[in-house]
Amino acid sequence: MAKIELHDVSLTFTLSQERRVTFKEYLIRGLFLPSRNPRVVIHALSGINLQAVDGDRIGVVGHNGAGKSTLLKLLAGIYPPTAGSRIVQGKICSLFDITLGFEPDANGWDNITYRGYLQGETPRTLKKKIDAIAEFSELGDFLNVPVRYYSAGMMVRLAFSIATAVEPEVLLIDEVLSVGDLAFQNKARERMREMMASARLMIMVSHDLHSIQSLCNRAIWLQQGTILRDSSPDEVIAAYTGSIAPAVEHHPVGAPTESVTGDVEDSVPAGESRAAA
Amino acid sequence: MFDHLKAVWNYRHFWMSLVRMDLRQRYRRSALGIGWSLLHPLAMTAVFCVVFSSILGNSDWKTYAPFLLAGLSVWEFIRNSATAGCSTFIRNEAYIRQCPLPCGIYPLRTVMGAAIHFLISLSVVITLVTVLKGNTASLRVLWSVLPAIVLTIIFAWSLATLAAFATIYFHDTQHLVDVGAQFWFFITPIIYSRDLLDRKGLSWVADLNPVNLFLELIRTPLLSGEPPALTLYLQAMVLTGVMLGLAIGTIAWLQRKLIFQL
């Protein structure tokens, strides 16, 4: 039984103007005073309510910086919600930033092992899968070479092969349908379909509206960190594409922000400041 | 808290394989590998032996060399845990951004690597003492040193965890730790014996020094062949308990903020 429940979830980033402060600067320049180090508050997600159960295939659409990837990372447990409650039941498999976190000096085989353990495999279960992973990646003898010397495409192949070797209950996907070269893409697509079919619950973020229409049975439109619409893919996509009609000139990018300078709070129009979310 | 420990255990294959990799990389491709990384304490020992015996007229190198090497092993382990601990979260940023792992795993990776190195240098010390003294007293007292080694490792993990969290808030922590360690090295009875401080009426410097406690628990028994006093063990347990509490408290307090600070 897989389940996702978000109750009134908000995620707020508080970014300081001065990042990576040193202790010396902190003391000498008085960066502990809010006036010297103004903070920007970004409401990446606000008031999200989402219930999903077995069988749901949810596609998420929205502009850049609308909070789509942040929502997935929150569901995966990487970002803790700053307000509200998050309940996710089931073994999660997340396919985003998959090329991050290789150990560059270790070879392909070793990296399969580390990643496998990271995904919750044990030596015994991994032993059965490792050959299949190696075969799927088609990297052959390159698996004996340190990952440092891999091309970007080879890295993606390896990452994808490892990440998709699990049988997930909750599958979270962020724009990974276009991986590797053409030959690998077809294979990857096939693998993704298998995974989506076997996963109990899937949430995918994509700008490819066709794949959302064909793969999902529910869609969510996110804008500025809130859910604008939550209904059938056809309806949501129609509304979403309708809003991008030429008549509408202003497409707000990013999440609402406000800058906090000491006691004075003045909010900046959302469209003007760039959000990192 | 219990959940955190359970999660660390569940992911044991992951961090243990990373520790193995770190070690392989450190001792890579040579029979000299381990010897090479032991070279630093060994060279320090040799240099201090030469300096102290020729300049200060301390000619008894046979007792001084093991004394120095044992002290340096303990010191290097604690110091390395603190300095390497500083960069722990930054080194493992990719994992933190990708997977919600319990954040105690990352200092554990750092400290376990250093701990294996520490055990290797301690076995060199034991060999040295056994050969130079011609008896097996230090082997027979080993049972009483083992709990102290465990305590030292827990202490080092707590230190590394605190250093790691300090670094994500203040990026020059490692620099400060380096400077602090330099100072600490000279106020700790490592290259000189404790008597020197006692004679100058500075016993309190040693008494209040946590590193000295671990030296008394590990170095002194190995050299003298006599198990340490129980009160020393009690002190070390209290000290380690306090540090562990601080580290766990920091994790509970800041682990949800970690991702936002990277």
Side-chain angles (χ1 to χ4, degrees), chain B residues 3 6 13 25 40 50 58 78-79 96 98 100 112 122 137-138 153 156 158 177 179 182 213 229 235 245 251 253:
Chain B
D3 286 343
K6 211 175 115 192
H13 297 298
Q25 241 141 48
H40 183 239
V50 169
N58 180 353
I78 294 175
R79 192 196 57 121
I96 299 173
Q98 211 175 21
M112 287 319 276
L122 276 189
S138 65
I153 293 173
S158 315
V177 168
V179 174
Q182 198 73 36
L213 197 51
Q235 285 176 33
I251 288 179
W253 174 34

Side-chain angles (χ1 to χ4, degrees), chain A:
Chain A
M1 169 78 187
K3 186 173 80 170
I4 289 179
E5 271 182 37
L6 297 183
H7 289 291
D8 215 13
V9 162
S10 297
L11 184 63
T12 316
F13 294 93
T14 310
L15 304 178
S16 298
Q17 214 92 99
E18 302 268 351
R19 297 272 295 148
R20 315 236 137 156
V21 192
T22 66
F23 192 64
K24 187 186 71 186
E25 287 176 345
Y26 188 75
L27 286 182
I28 294 175
R29 293 174 48 203
L31 290 179
F32 44 88
L33 300 172
S35 58
R36 298 266 172 85
N37 192 9
R39 303 208 178 98
V40 181
V41 176
I42 297 169
H43 301 285
L45 296 172
S46 42
I48 301 273
N49 281 299
L50 182 67
Q51 269 83 36
V53 286
D54 280 358
D56 274 353
R57 304 273 178 272
I58 304 178
V60 184
V61 296
H63 295 306
N64 297 125
K68 305 186 296 292
S69 304
T70 313
L71 177 66
L72 283 196
K73 286 191 171 171
L74 184 123
L75 288 171
I78 295 168
Y79 290 129
T82 38
S85 72
R86 160 196 177 270
I87 301 167
V88 176
Q89 282 173 5
K91 192 178 162 197
I92 302 173
C93 168
S94 43
L95 294 181
F96 40 78
D97 299 345
I98 51 172
T99 52
L100 261 179
F102 276 118
E103 291 292 337
D105 291 314
N107 67 26
W109 291 109
D110 288 340
N111 269 296
I112 295 179
T113 330
Y114 307 145
R115 277 296 180 91
Y117 292 153
L118 185 61
Q119 290 171 10
E121 304 285 340
T122 61
R124 203 179 313 144
T125 58
L126 190 66
K127 213 172 171 183
K128 290 180 208 147
K129 288 179 181 167
I130 194 162
D131 287 327
I133 294 174
E135 198 184 322
F136 190 85
S137 74
E138 295 176 353
L139 286 170
D141 287 341
F142 267 101
L143 287 172
N144 298 318
V145 174
V147 169
R148 182 182 290 288
Y149 303 115
Y150 281 27
S151 73
M154 289 159 77
M155 207 98 100
V156 171
R157 274 174 178 248
L158 184 61
F160 186 85
S161 310
I162 304 167
T164 55
V166 289
E167 295 93 29
E169 291 172 330
V170 178
L171 183 59
L172 307 170
I173 308 169
D174 191 356
E175 298 277 11
V176 282
L177 286 171
S178 54
V179 286
D181 50 34
L182 205 60
F184 192 71
Q185 260 186 43
N186 291 334
K187 236 175 112 173
R189 223 167 275 253
E190 190 55 38
R191 170 67 71 91
M192 291 291 287
R193 267 179 219 282
E194 280 169 30
M195 276 188 91
M196 288 174 185
S198 67
R200 294 173 169 207
L201 214 168
M202 180 190 82
I203 297 191
M204 68 181 281
V205 163
S206 184
H207 288 291
D208 178 9
L209 300 178
H210 291 295
S211 59
I212 287 189
Q213 249 160 341
S214 63
L215 293 169
C216 301
N217 56 20
R218 185 177 158 190
I220 287 173
W221 176 12
L222 272 185
Q223 182 148 318
Q224 297 196 351
T226 53
I227 295 182
L228 268 194
R229 222 169 251 253
D230 177 357
S231 120
S232 75
D234 291 334
E235 200 187 319
V236 170
I237 286 169
Y240 177 60
T241 43
S243 80
I244 318 177
V248 187
E249 278 172 10
H250 184 62
H251 300 301
V253 168
T257 63
E258 58 190 68
S259 37
V260 182
T261 319
D263 304 319
V264 195
E265 284 194 27
D266 45 357
S267 52
V268 178
E272 286 177 18
S273 50
R274 254 176 353 107

Side-chain angles (χ1 to χ4, degrees), chain B residues 206-217:
Chain B
D207 287 335
L208 293 178
N209 189 337
V211 180
N212 187 50
L213 197 51
F214 292 111
L215 286 175
E216 295 279 353
L217 280 173

